[in-house]
Amino acid sequence: MNRLLLRTKARLRDAGKPVAEAAVGALTIALLRTTRYFDPDKTANFFGRVTRFIGRRLREDRIGRENLKAAFPEKSPEEIETILAGVWDNLGRIGAEFAHLDHIWDYDLDQPDKPSRIEFTPRTKQIFDALRDDGKPAIIFASHLGNWEIPALGAVAHGLDCAILFRRPNIESADRAIERIRAVKMGTLVPAGREAPLKLAEALQRGQHVAMLVDQYMGNGVEVTFFGRKTKANPTLARLLRQVECPVHGVRIIRLPNHRFRAELSEEVKPARDASGQIDIQGTMQAVTDVIEGWVREYPDQWLWLHRRWR
């Protein structure tokens, strides 16, 4: 009898999954479309307040707190809670900003003194111009810091030819809506999957720049140290370097007050090599992880602590 009941529950769950996914997909599309009718700054403020309220009641809030305690054992409980509130606020703002991606990057090269949401240092501009104009491929990595959707906008807006690795949402209808928004001014999108490494390597061989987020935990990845604890990093970046050696730079978008952002490119991150001179996968991913840790230590309330980072 119990076995029959379990089978019945499983069948009902499987039968209801497409309906639930369709409902979530429809809600996502409606939310994105509706958000575009409202002022982006006011909407970002509202979404930030909503996610701070709702997020503190979700399981991910506990995960984020545990991650922060592990990363910053020296911080008081009050400091941890302040950081965590900022994490939820940042996440809500990203959701609102996503619906307005087609006009968030408003920096005008012809009128650099014109008021803009975006600022960057002369050194970042120098590095960017060199990457754009040298005719060579490069790998550019980012993390879930600030608004991680924005770097692709800047790349395309200022002529940097990019192939961007991204992960599709699990719900097909939501995926189509999100991809339409991302495709506006975000370069060549390469969905994660078995064929992605080949497509990215081909892009590098053609002289394109390849961009990817690299701070996700990956169970079958290579071991690196992050905030003094062992974790697993996705080795795709280092494996691509073994096929096509090229410069590696990091990019981050820091959230500033008054709905503004600062874009920063890192200096070149030199890969590690083994005794034979070949790219060392683990050592190279450790070098990249060290850069990301430095970024997160500066702006811990802007990084996505809400998923397990150490398993």
Side-chain angles (χ1 to χ4, degrees):
M1 184 67 178
N2 287 339
R3 190 174 299 174
L4 177 61
L5 181 61
L6 290 173
R7 282 202 301 267
T8 302
K9 286 182 177 179
R11 287 172 181 169
L12 288 172
R13 183 176 63 248
D14 293 342
K17 187 176 179 181
V19 177
E21 288 188 350
V24 172
L27 180 61
T28 301
I29 295 169
L31 187 60
L32 289 172
R33 288 176 175 170
T34 302
T35 302
R36 289 181 62 83
Y37 288 103
F38 294 92
D39 179 87
D41 296 344
K42 292 179 180 178
T43 307
N45 291 339
F46 174 72
F47 275 37
R49 290 194 298 270
V50 169
T51 51
R52 282 201 307 271
F53 177 78
I54 296 176
R56 309 312 296 271
R57 290 153 178 80
L58 300 178
R59 180 178 66 91
E60 286 76 10
D61 192 69
R62 176 179 56 79
I63 294 172
R65 186 176 294 103
E66 292 174 357
N67 285 337
L68 283 163
K69 287 179 179 178
F72 299 106
E74 74 283 2
K75 291 191 181 297
S76 68
E78 293 76 17
E79 289 174 309
I80 294 295
E81 294 305 316
T82 298
I83 293 171
L84 193 52
V87 172
W88 285 112
D89 182 82
N90 184 64
L91 187 60
R93 291 175 182 276
I94 291 171
E97 291 155 359
F98 190 84
H100 298 275
L101 278 181
D102 52 342
H103 57 258
I104 279 185
W105 189 279
D106 60 357
Y107 184 83
D108 189 343
L109 281 174
D110 297 326
Q111 302 181 65
D113 296 327
K114 180 182 177 182
S116 169
R117 292 177 181 271
I118 309 297
E119 68 175 45
F120 44 82
T121 64
R123 180 55 181 158
T124 287
K125 184 178 186 305
Q126 184 181 24
I127 294 171
F128 181 90
D129 289 347
L131 287 170
R132 183 192 58 205
D133 299 336
D134 64 8
K136 300 176 183 177
I139 298 176
I140 302 171
F141 66 87
S143 69
H144 290 85
L145 182 83
N147 188 323
W148 53 86
E149 297 282 355
I150 293 180
L153 303 177
V156 174
H158 302 303
L160 189 72
D161 188 12
C162 271
I164 300 164
L165 181 66
F166 78 105
R167 186 172 298 280
R168 292 185 184 278
N170 293 329
I171 300 170
E172 184 177 353
S173 55
D175 172 39
R176 289 195 300 269
I178 289 171
E179 188 166 346
R180 280 197 295 271
I181 291 175
R182 278 181 166 153
V184 174
K185 297 179 181 178
M186 300 188 78
T188 304
L189 299 178
V190 179
R194 292 183 179 180
E195 296 182 0
L198 176 60
K199 291 181 179 179
L200 295 174
E202 290 174 346
L204 290 172
Q205 290 164 356
R206 290 193 300 268
Q208 278 186 287
H209 303 82
V210 163
M212 65 184 71
L213 289 160
V214 296
D215 57 343
Q216 301 97 326
Y217 175 90
M218 186 175 186
N220 59 347
V222 296
E223 188 174 86
V224 295
T225 301
F226 185 57
F227 281 88
R229 298 161 67 93
K230 298 295 183 183
T231 187
K232 295 291 185 70
N234 188 329
T236 298
L237 183 153
R239 288 176 177 167
L240 285 172
L241 275 181
R242 276 195 170 181
Q243 298 180 63
V244 183
E245 288 207 29
C246 60
V248 176
H249 292 266
V251 62
R252 64 174 176 172
I253 300 291
I254 302 162
R255 187 177 299 281
L256 302 175
N258 301 318
H259 308 282
R260 301 184 70 252
F261 305 92
R262 182 166 66 248
E264 291 184 353
L265 276 166
S266 77
E267 299 294 333
E268 183 176 350
V269 179
K270 298 295 185 181
R273 298 182 183 274
D274 59 24
S276 67
Q278 189 176 35
I279 298 293
D280 180 85
I281 302 294
Q282 188 277 333
T284 297
M285 294 315 304
Q286 183 63 66
V288 169
T289 300
D290 289 344
V291 172
I292 292 172
E293 180 175 330
W295 290 347
V296 176
R297 286 188 179 276
E298 281 191 82
Y299 299 95
D301 59 331
Q302 295 192 27
W303 194 62
L304 193 65
W305 293 94
L306 306 177
H307 301 290
R308 289 290 179 188
R309 295 299 171 176
W310 301 278
R311 302 283 176 115

